[in-house]
Amino acid sequence: MARILIIDDDLDVVESLTMVLEGNGHLVVARFTTADLLATVKEAHPDLIILDVVFPGDDQAGFKAARLLAGDREVQHLPVLMLSAVNQLSNLGFSFSEKDISRDFLPVTGFLEKPVEPACLLAKVASLLRPNP
Amino acid sequence: MNGPSINDADGRSSADLHCREMAARIDWAVRLRWFFVLASLAVAFLLPMVNEPLRAGKCFLWVGLALALTNFLAQRRLQALVVRSRAEAGTLRILCLVQVVGDYLALSVVAYALGSVETPVMFLLLPNCILAALYFPPLQSLAIALLGLGLVLLPLALEFVGLLAPVIIFTPGYREIIVSSPLILGSYLASLVCCVLFCWYLAVVIRRSLLANEEELETRYKQLLAVSRQKTSSVLHGAHELKAPLAAIRSYASTMRDGYTGPLPKKALQVVERIGVRCDRLLNMTSDIIRLGNLQGAVRVDEVFHPLALMPLLAELVAEATAAGQGREITVHLVPPDEEVWVLATEEHLRTLFLNLLLNAVQYSRPGGEVGVALALADNQVTVSVRDHGIGIGFAEVGLIFEEYYRTPAAVHHYGEGDGLGLAIVKAISTLLGAEIQVSSEVGNGTVVRVTFATVAAKVA
């Protein structure tokens, strides 16, 4: 089973994700901010990172965090699953999908829109943890 | 990823509107001038028949031909400007000035041919004075009016100094009476000058008043747009704020439903499932509110439309609609056309538009019903029709179904979960894509929605 780091400011989302992941044997470490991201990741030694997009005070904190992770040699190999409830284009949000994932622009490994069905989350996590052929 | 950008008002500047209005006015003057061309040519052919001097007939002929040529060139130039959407105020003013001066010259020849002072034909310079006063600044339009006066009076002046032979066309001796009396000639000329100046002054005053009103209207219009944008923005903000907590509630409901919080009694499980369903409806509604707000211009994305093949997308959406109707044994058929059809759009817009129509057709069909999707090609257009045999819409209600939140009582009764925004979104998308929507329906017998697009050439690989 895997060690999963969830970075999301919404306590309730973290709680429900934790219940599902821990219920399936994963070990969950939760953080509620992207501050000191690299130190947090290096300390937690996760196999997978689940990352929110919008954080208080910075609507793009998740994107910045993903780019920061992708730029660090020690952690850039880790799969990152991006989660967002505000995936709709407006003056307050953004529109993106897995098609937008790219090394330079959106360096994450997968994307899911909140709310996530438990079965869907588990399938996605399993696919991201599977070693590349 | 698409970044947001706020739509700046109506997207057109008032200068554009002024130019378009001026272009329309010049176009109107060009069309009116064709009437004078015909009149000049008719007079040119009729004058010799009534034994009038041949010279006058020739003058009218040349005037008619010159007017026709300049008018033709002006029309071509104007069309080119409008087609290229580059009608600038300066260019239009020059075009207008050339036309006005051309008219004065033509009028000058006609005035001479009709005997200079024998007819009031010189007064025909007034319409052009008014036109110039409406579209040029006061001093420029005054100069144009004085130029017109000078040009139409030029033949009379040349007759006085003996450089032109006077033309007598009507009553012999009449011209001498006017010309030999300084009082009569002075009165004639003074009345002409006074009329021109009075009309110029009147037009300048009207222009000033119109400009002031226009400015006021523009200010009010911008204020209204700002209020409307603010309102839509507030709605969008509210909808966004709702999404995150709703997603959290939905996540908890799913977690509980799937037993991650321990086994639930049957009744509690039912309640949790209902919470999940209601959450989904609210999430769909907030998504629809945001989508509609974006489409209606609160947020403008610099979208680029590409040629898209309709058939693969429709086939995919038909499969999705079939899955949605499976529980009630509703079948969805797609009749493919003989050839692939391409339209200019974005995939997301087309997907949203047709999925809304197909799901509507499924939702408002009766169990075991059929939904048909067909494409008809004609005159570089494709009409996609979505036909169901469901509950139908009353004649009086058909015109209302594209309004936000409107649902017919029969629709609410048949399917309680709709949010009343689907067809408003369809309408907004079709407006954005330049497509036309037609609805024909009969209560109890079903509905046909036809969406007509202009087709484009296939995408180059």
Side-chain angles (χ1 to χ4, degrees):
Chain A
M1 291 294 108
R3 194 177 168 82
I4 297 172
L5 171 63
I6 301 176
I7 307 172
D8 193 322
D9 66 300
D10 191 325
L11 182 68
D12 293 316
V13 170
V14 172
E15 181 76 18
S16 61
L17 292 177
T18 303
M19 277 194 270
V20 173
L21 292 170
E22 288 189 344
N24 286 275
H26 297 294
L27 180 68
V28 174
V29 179
R31 292 287 181 274
F32 303 97
T33 168
T34 55
D36 299 323
L37 178 74
L38 290 176
T40 303
V41 173
K42 286 170 188 174
E43 187 189 325
H45 294 294
D47 300 306
L48 169 73
I49 300 167
I50 296 179
L51 180 62
D52 188 19
V53 175
V54 179
F55 284 80
D58 189 350
D59 290 348
Q60 300 189 34
F63 297 132
K64 291 173 187 167
R67 287 176 196 147
L68 193 63
L69 292 171
D72 189 282
R73 284 177 181 276
E74 271 187 67
V75 297
Q76 63 185 188
H77 65 282
L78 293 173
V80 177
L81 173 59
M82 186 160 263
L83 280 187
S84 178
V86 191
N87 180 33
Q88 219 173 348
L89 182 64
S90 79
N91 52 345
L92 302 159
F94 305 90
S95 165
F96 53 88
S97 67
E98 290 207 326
K99 283 187 214 163
D100 294 310
I101 292 175
S102 73
R103 191 166 188 78
D104 298 322
F105 189 60
L106 190 59
V108 297
T109 331
F111 169 77
L112 279 180
E113 191 169 351
K114 294 179 195 172
V116 191
E117 278 294 308
C120 185
L121 173 71
L122 292 170
K124 193 76 184 175
V125 166
S127 76
L128 294 181
L129 289 172
R130 203 173 296 136
N132 287 329
Chain B
M1 190 181 76
N2 291 316
S5 64
I6 305 298
N7 194 358
D8 55 322
D10 53 352
R12 290 178 195 151
S13 68
S14 57
D16 287 342
L17 292 174
H18 281 301
C19 284
R20 287 194 304 159
E21 193 196 328
M22 200 192 295
R25 194 64 61 217
I26 293 174
D27 182 55
W28 171 81
V30 165
R31 286 166 197 273
L32 189 67
R33 199 170 287 107
W34 285 118
F35 168 76
F36 286 104
V37 169
L38 283 177
S40 299
L41 294 176
V43 172
F45 285 105
L46 287 175
L47 274 182
M49 290 181 196
V50 291
N51 291 326
E52 292 301 334
L54 191 60
R55 197 167 47 168
K58 275 188 179 169
C59 282
F60 274 100
L61 181 65
W62 285 115
V63 163
L65 291 176
L67 272 183
L69 181 67
T70 52
N71 216 30
F72 175 72
L73 293 175
Q75 203 161 18
R76 290 283 299 271
R77 179 78 185 128
L78 191 64
Q79 276 169 356
L81 285 173
V82 172
V83 167
R84 286 184 217 148
S85 301
R86 278 197 347 203
E88 292 166 2
T91 319
L92 287 170
R93 282 210 181 103
I94 290 170
L95 191 61
C96 188
L97 184 66
V98 169
Q99 282 186 302
V100 167
V101 173
D103 286 355
Y104 286 155
L105 284 170
L107 189 61
S108 165
V109 175
V110 168
Y112 170 66
L114 289 178
S116 299
V117 292
E118 284 190 62
T119 63
V121 74
M122 285 183 190
F123 285 81
L124 281 176
L125 70 88
L126 292 177
N128 273 342
C129 286
I130 294 168
L131 188 70
L134 286 176
Y135 290 104
F136 288 84
L139 281 179
Q140 285 182 22
S141 60
L142 179 63
I144 293 169
L146 294 177
L147 175 72
L149 268 174
L151 284 173
V152 294
L153 290 174
L154 186 64
L156 187 64
L158 293 176
E159 285 174 21
F160 258 103
V161 296
L163 289 175
L164 270 181
V167 175
I168 294 164
I169 192 163
F170 294 118
T171 317
Y174 175 68
R175 183 181 182 282
E176 279 68 32
I177 295 170
I178 295 175
V179 174
S180 60
S181 164
L183 184 65
I184 297 175
L185 183 62
S187 304
Y188 180 85
L189 294 177
S191 66
L192 179 66
V193 173
C194 284
C195 269
V196 168
L197 291 180
F198 177 71
C199 286
W200 166 80
Y201 175 72
L202 205 61
V204 165
V205 170
I206 291 170
R207 177 182 190 262
R208 196 174 295 148
S209 159
L210 281 174
L211 285 177
N213 285 342
E214 208 169 290
E215 207 170 308
E216 164 115 20
L217 273 174
E218 200 176 309
T219 309
R220 294 279 166 92
Y221 178 59
K222 280 182 179 163
Q223 285 170 347
L224 271 175
L225 278 177
V227 169
S228 168
R229 256 203 324 277
Q230 181 62 41
K231 193 186 116 208
T232 313
S233 182
S234 301
V235 171
L236 279 176
H237 189 88
H240 263 297
E241 289 298 305
L242 276 173
K243 278 196 94 174
L246 280 171
I249 296 169
R250 185 66 180 96
S251 290
Y252 271 136
S254 303
T255 309
M256 291 174 76
R257 180 202 61 204
D258 290 359
Y260 289 101
T261 54
L264 291 178
K266 193 179 170 191
K267 193 72 188 166
L269 185 62
Q270 283 174 351
V271 170
V272 165
E273 281 174 352
R274 288 300 302 157
I275 291 170
V277 169
R278 298 300 289 264
C279 257
D280 285 342
R281 279 175 58 185
L282 281 173
L283 280 165
N284 286 338
M285 192 181 226
T286 51
S287 294
D288 278 351
I289 290 170
I290 294 169
R291 189 172 290 126
L292 190 60
N294 292 344
L295 286 165
Q296 287 174 337
V299 173
R300 182 177 61 77
V301 186
D302 296 323
E303 287 174 310
V304 180
F305 296 153
H306 298 288
L308 286 171
L310 267 184
M311 277 311 295
L313 181 69
L314 284 175
E316 195 184 316
L317 298 177
V318 162
E320 208 168 317
T322 305
Q326 222 162 20
R328 293 190 299 136
E329 295 179 343
I330 293 165
T331 52
V332 187
H333 305 287
L334 172 64
V335 183
D338 297 332
E339 53 185 302
E340 182 53 277
V341 182
W342 300 75
V343 297
L344 217 51
T346 67
E347 187 178 329
E348 189 192 341
H349 286 329
L350 280 187
R351 185 177 288 279
T352 307
L353 188 153
F354 285 117
L355 192 60
N356 266 310
L357 291 180
L358 281 165
L359 291 180
N360 265 3
V362 167
Q363 280 149 1
Y364 297 110
S365 289
R366 298 187 188 87
E370 282 186 12
V371 172
V373 182
L375 286 84
L377 279 161
D379 302 330
N380 297 323
Q381 288 190 321
V382 58
T383 299
V384 183
S385 57
V386 179
R387 180 189 298 272
D388 68 62
H389 302 278
I391 61 169
I393 307 160
F395 180 74
E397 293 160 330
V398 166
L400 303 172
I401 58 171
F402 292 106
E403 287 185 12
E404 292 169 37
Y405 300 104
Y406 180 80
R407 300 189 70 207
T408 67
V412 175
H413 179 73
H414 181 85
Y415 177 69
E417 296 183 14
D419 61 18
L421 291 174
L423 286 176
I425 289 171
V426 166
K427 177 76 179 165
I429 292 176
S430 65
T431 304
L432 196 69
L433 298 180
E436 272 184 36
I437 302 187
Q438 284 185 319
V439 180
S440 47
S441 189
E442 198 180 327
V443 174
N445 284 329
T447 303
V448 188
V449 182
R450 296 182 180 85
V451 191
T452 303
F453 299 88
T455 56
V456 291
K459 191 182 195 171
V460 180

